[in-house]
Amino acid sequence: MSAIPCTLMRGGTSKGAYFLAEDLPADPAERDDLLLRIMGSPDPRQIDGIGGAHPLTSKVAVVSVSQRPDVDVDYLFLQVAVDEAAVSDKQNCGNLLAGVGPFAVEQGLVKAGDPETTVRIRMVNSDSVAVATFATPGGRVRYAGDTAISGVPGTASPIYLDFADTEGSATGALLPTGRIRDVIDGIEVTCIDNGMPVVVAEASAFGLTGHESVADLAADEDLRDRIQSLRLQAGRLMGLGDVSNASVPKTTLVAPARDGGVISTRTFIPLRVHDSIGVLGAVTVATALVIEGAVGHDLAALPAPGAPMAIEHPTGRLEVLVELDGPPERPTVRRSSLVRTARKLFDGRVHPRHA
C-alpha cells in the first residue's frame, strides 16, 4: 500500500487518524503493523509519521457500516503507542468518539439530516452503544460553533453524546472487584468501570493536594512507581490480568474542587500524567462520586440529582451527567451523557513508512 485514504480529526481533547475499515488490512496483525508505520512508532517524536508524540495524539478510529440493525456504524478504537511497537484495542476512547458521527456522514456511511443528524455508534472495544447528535444544516456537517471545551482553543459546534451499556465495558461489571472499596498498598481505592476501567484514590493518600501541576507530578518518579504498583494489583483484582503492558486501568487521584466544580482530578494514562481527563474516564469517575461509600464521594460537592457534574482537571473542567438505579450496594447505570466538539483537520491520503 503506497497511500491510504485518511482523515485527521480532533475529537474532544484528543487527535487521531480516522479510517474506513475497508481501507485497512482485515488481518489485525497486518493492520497494526501498518498503523505503526503510519503514525511513526516506535519513536518518541514519531518524526516519520503523523502521530503527535503523545498518547492523546497517537490514536486511530476505524469506522464501518454496522451489521447490527439497531446501530448505524461500528467504531473500533486503537491506541498506538508512541515509543514502542504496540497497538492496543483494550479500551474505548470517548474523545475520538466525538468525531465518528461527522466522519460517518462525510464518508457517506450515514445520510445527513437537516438541521441535525443522530448517529448510533457501536463502540467495538466494549460492544456498547453511544448516540451522537450534531448539527448538519442543509445536510452538511457544521464544525463551527460557540461551544467551548476545556483544553481546546476557541469554540466549535456541540456534539451531544449519550452512552448506553457502558457499565463494565472491559471488566464485565461496574464494580469489578465486587466491592465499593478495596485497599491496595495501604491505600483505599474504588475500582470502577463505566466505559473505562479506573482506579480512584484520594490524592491525600499519596501526600498530595490533588492540585499539583502536570509537570510536577510527571517529575515525581516515586509517585510513578507507586501508581504502577497500585494499577498492577488493581488490574488483577478487576479481572484484567497482567496489565504491565496495557493502557488500562487508568488511575485518577481526586481532591476537593477549588474552581467551582464537583471534584478535582489528576489522571495517569497509565503512567503519563493526563493534561485533562478522558471522556469515559470522567464518566467513570463521576459514577464513583455518586456511589455512597466510594472513594471521592465524601469529597465531592455533588449537585442536585439529574444535574451535570463539573469534573475539574489540570486544564479546566468537563461536565458529565450520570444517573444510577438500584440499591446503594449494587448500583446500575441508567444514563451517562456529555457534550464534546470535534473538527476535521485534513482529508486525503497518508503514505506509510516502508516496512
Short mmCIF file of all heavy atoms in Angstrom, two decimals, residues 102-128:
data_model
loop_
_atom_site.label_atom_id
_atom_site.label_comp_id
_atom_site.label_asym_id
_atom_site.label_seq_id
_atom_site.Cartn_x
_atom_site.Cartn_y
_atom_site.Cartn_z
N PRO A 102 -19.67 12.74 12.61
CA PRO A 102 -19.36 13.58 11.46
C PRO A 102 -18.57 12.85 10.37
O PRO A 102 -18.83 13.02 9.18
CB PRO A 102 -18.54 14.71 12.09
CG PRO A 102 -19.07 14.82 13.48
CD PRO A 102 -19.33 13.41 13.88
N PHE A 103 -17.59 12.03 10.77
CA PHE A 103 -16.81 11.26 9.80
C PHE A 103 -17.72 10.32 9.01
O PHE A 103 -17.61 10.21 7.78
CB PHE A 103 -15.71 10.47 10.52
CG PHE A 103 -14.91 9.56 9.63
CD1 PHE A 103 -13.91 10.06 8.82
CD2 PHE A 103 -15.14 8.19 9.63
CE1 PHE A 103 -13.15 9.22 8.00
CE2 PHE A 103 -14.40 7.34 8.82
CZ PHE A 103 -13.40 7.85 8.00
N ALA A 104 -18.62 9.64 9.71
CA ALA A 104 -19.52 8.69 9.05
C ALA A 104 -20.42 9.40 8.03
O ALA A 104 -20.67 8.88 6.94
CB ALA A 104 -20.37 7.97 10.09
N VAL A 105 -20.89 10.58 8.38
CA VAL A 105 -21.72 11.35 7.44
C VAL A 105 -20.90 11.78 6.23
O VAL A 105 -21.32 11.62 5.07
CB VAL A 105 -22.33 12.58 8.14
CG1 VAL A 105 -22.93 13.55 7.12
CG2 VAL A 105 -23.41 12.13 9.13
N GLU A 106 -19.71 12.31 6.46
CA GLU A 106 -18.90 12.80 5.35
C GLU A 106 -18.40 11.68 4.44
O GLU A 106 -18.16 11.90 3.26
CB GLU A 106 -17.72 13.62 5.88
CG GLU A 106 -18.15 14.91 6.56
CD GLU A 106 -17.06 15.95 6.58
OE1 GLU A 106 -15.87 15.58 6.50
OE2 GLU A 106 -17.41 17.14 6.68
N GLN A 107 -18.30 10.47 4.99
CA GLN A 107 -17.86 9.33 4.18
C GLN A 107 -19.03 8.61 3.52
O GLN A 107 -18.84 7.61 2.83
CB GLN A 107 -17.08 8.35 5.06
CG GLN A 107 -15.75 8.89 5.57
CD GLN A 107 -14.76 9.16 4.46
OE1 GLN A 107 -14.66 8.41 3.50
NE2 GLN A 107 -14.02 10.26 4.59
N GLY A 108 -20.24 9.10 3.74
CA GLY A 108 -21.41 8.50 3.11
C GLY A 108 -21.93 7.25 3.78
O GLY A 108 -22.77 6.54 3.21
N LEU A 109 -21.48 6.97 5.00
CA LEU A 109 -21.97 5.79 5.72
C LEU A 109 -23.34 6.04 6.34
O LEU A 109 -24.11 5.10 6.57
CB LEU A 109 -20.98 5.39 6.83
CG LEU A 109 -19.53 5.15 6.41
CD1 LEU A 109 -18.73 4.65 7.61
CD2 LEU A 109 -19.44 4.19 5.25
N VAL A 110 -23.63 7.29 6.63
CA VAL A 110 -24.90 7.69 7.23
C VAL A 110 -25.43 8.90 6.47
O VAL A 110 -24.66 9.83 6.18
CB VAL A 110 -24.73 8.05 8.73
CG1 VAL A 110 -26.04 8.57 9.31
CG2 VAL A 110 -24.24 6.84 9.52
N LYS A 111 -26.70 8.89 6.15
CA LYS A 111 -27.30 10.03 5.45
C LYS A 111 -27.57 11.16 6.43
O LYS A 111 -28.13 10.95 7.51
CB LYS A 111 -28.60 9.61 4.78
CG LYS A 111 -29.24 10.72 3.94
CD LYS A 111 -30.49 10.24 3.24
CE LYS A 111 -31.12 11.36 2.42
NZ LYS A 111 -32.35 10.89 1.71
N ALA A 112 -27.15 12.35 6.08
CA ALA A 112 -27.32 13.50 6.95
C ALA A 112 -28.78 13.96 6.99
O ALA A 112 -29.49 13.89 5.99
CB ALA A 112 -26.44 14.65 6.50
N GLY A 113 -29.19 14.42 8.18
CA GLY A 113 -30.50 15.04 8.31
C GLY A 113 -30.37 16.55 8.19
O GLY A 113 -29.31 17.08 7.89
N ASP A 114 -31.45 17.24 8.44
CA ASP A 114 -31.46 18.70 8.40
C ASP A 114 -32.51 19.18 9.41
O ASP A 114 -33.69 18.83 9.25
CB ASP A 114 -31.81 19.18 6.99
CG ASP A 114 -31.73 20.70 6.82
OD1 ASP A 114 -31.27 21.38 7.76
OD2 ASP A 114 -32.16 21.19 5.76
N PRO A 115 -32.15 19.87 10.47
CA PRO A 115 -30.88 20.59 10.70
C PRO A 115 -29.85 19.81 11.50
O PRO A 115 -28.76 20.31 11.74
CB PRO A 115 -31.33 21.81 11.48
CG PRO A 115 -32.46 21.28 12.32
CD PRO A 115 -33.18 20.29 11.44
N GLU A 116 -30.18 18.59 11.96
CA GLU A 116 -29.23 17.82 12.74
C GLU A 116 -29.32 16.36 12.37
O GLU A 116 -30.29 15.90 11.75
CB GLU A 116 -29.46 18.01 14.25
CG GLU A 116 -30.76 17.45 14.77
CD GLU A 116 -30.93 17.67 16.27
OE1 GLU A 116 -30.32 18.60 16.82
OE2 GLU A 116 -31.69 16.89 16.88
N THR A 117 -28.29 15.62 12.77
CA THR A 117 -28.22 14.19 12.49
C THR A 117 -27.91 13.45 13.78
O THR A 117 -27.09 13.90 14.58
CB THR A 117 -27.13 13.88 11.44
OG1 THR A 117 -27.44 14.58 10.23
CG2 THR A 117 -27.04 12.39 11.15
N THR A 118 -28.54 12.31 13.96
CA THR A 118 -28.25 11.43 15.08
C THR A 118 -27.67 10.12 14.55
O THR A 118 -28.24 9.51 13.64
CB THR A 118 -29.51 11.14 15.91
OG1 THR A 118 -29.96 12.35 16.52
CG2 THR A 118 -29.24 10.12 17.01
N VAL A 119 -26.53 9.73 15.09
CA VAL A 119 -25.85 8.51 14.65
C VAL A 119 -25.69 7.58 15.84
O VAL A 119 -25.15 7.97 16.87
CB VAL A 119 -24.47 8.83 14.03
CG1 VAL A 119 -23.78 7.54 13.59
CG2 VAL A 119 -24.61 9.78 12.85
N ARG A 120 -26.16 6.36 15.68
CA ARG A 120 -25.97 5.34 16.71
C ARG A 120 -24.68 4.59 16.41
O ARG A 120 -24.50 4.04 15.31
CB ARG A 120 -27.16 4.37 16.76
CG ARG A 120 -28.43 5.03 17.28
CD ARG A 120 -29.58 4.03 17.42
NE ARG A 120 -29.26 2.95 18.33
CZ ARG A 120 -29.40 3.02 19.66
NH1 ARG A 120 -29.84 4.14 20.22
NH2 ARG A 120 -29.09 1.99 20.41
N ILE A 121 -23.78 4.57 17.38
CA ILE A 121 -22.42 4.07 17.18
C ILE A 121 -22.15 2.91 18.13
O ILE A 121 -22.28 3.06 19.35
CB ILE A 121 -21.40 5.20 17.44
CG1 ILE A 121 -21.67 6.40 16.53
CG2 ILE A 121 -19.97 4.68 17.26
CD1 ILE A 121 -20.98 7.66 16.99
N ARG A 122 -21.75 1.78 17.56
CA ARG A 122 -21.31 0.66 18.42
C ARG A 122 -19.82 0.81 18.66
O ARG A 122 -19.02 0.82 17.73
CB ARG A 122 -21.59 -0.69 17.76
CG ARG A 122 -21.16 -1.88 18.66
CD ARG A 122 -21.59 -3.20 18.08
NE ARG A 122 -20.75 -3.64 16.99
CZ ARG A 122 -19.76 -4.53 17.09
NH1 ARG A 122 -19.47 -5.07 18.26
NH2 ARG A 122 -19.06 -4.89 16.02
N MET A 123 -19.45 0.97 19.94
CA MET A 123 -18.05 1.00 20.31
C MET A 123 -17.56 -0.43 20.39
O MET A 123 -17.84 -1.15 21.36
CB MET A 123 -17.88 1.76 21.63
CG MET A 123 -18.27 3.23 21.52
SD MET A 123 -17.99 4.19 23.02
CE MET A 123 -19.29 3.55 24.08
N VAL A 124 -16.86 -0.86 19.36
CA VAL A 124 -16.50 -2.27 19.19
C VAL A 124 -15.68 -2.78 20.37
O VAL A 124 -15.82 -3.94 20.78
CB VAL A 124 -15.72 -2.46 17.87
CG1 VAL A 124 -15.22 -3.89 17.73
CG2 VAL A 124 -16.60 -2.08 16.68
N ASN A 125 -14.83 -1.92 20.93
CA ASN A 125 -13.94 -2.36 22.02
C ASN A 125 -14.71 -2.93 23.19
O ASN A 125 -14.24 -3.83 23.88
CB ASN A 125 -13.08 -1.19 22.50
CG ASN A 125 -12.30 -0.55 21.37
OD1 ASN A 125 -12.90 0.10 20.52
ND2 ASN A 125 -10.99 -0.71 21.34
N SER A 126 -15.89 -2.38 23.48
CA SER A 126 -16.67 -2.84 24.63
C SER A 126 -18.04 -3.37 24.24
O SER A 126 -18.82 -3.77 25.10
CB SER A 126 -16.85 -1.69 25.63
OG SER A 126 -17.53 -0.60 25.01
N ASP A 127 -18.36 -3.36 22.94
CA ASP A 127 -19.68 -3.77 22.45
C ASP A 127 -20.79 -2.98 23.14
O ASP A 127 -21.84 -3.52 23.46
CB ASP A 127 -19.90 -5.27 22.63
CG ASP A 127 -21.05 -5.79 21.77
OD1 ASP A 127 -21.28 -5.21 20.69
OD2 ASP A 127 -21.73 -6.76 22.18
N SER A 128 -20.56 -1.70 23.35
CA SER A 128 -21.57 -0.81 23.92
C SER A 128 -21.93 0.26 22.89
O SER A 128 -21.26 0.40 21.87
CB SER A 128 -21.06 -0.18 25.23
OG SER A 128 -19.81 0.44 25.04
#
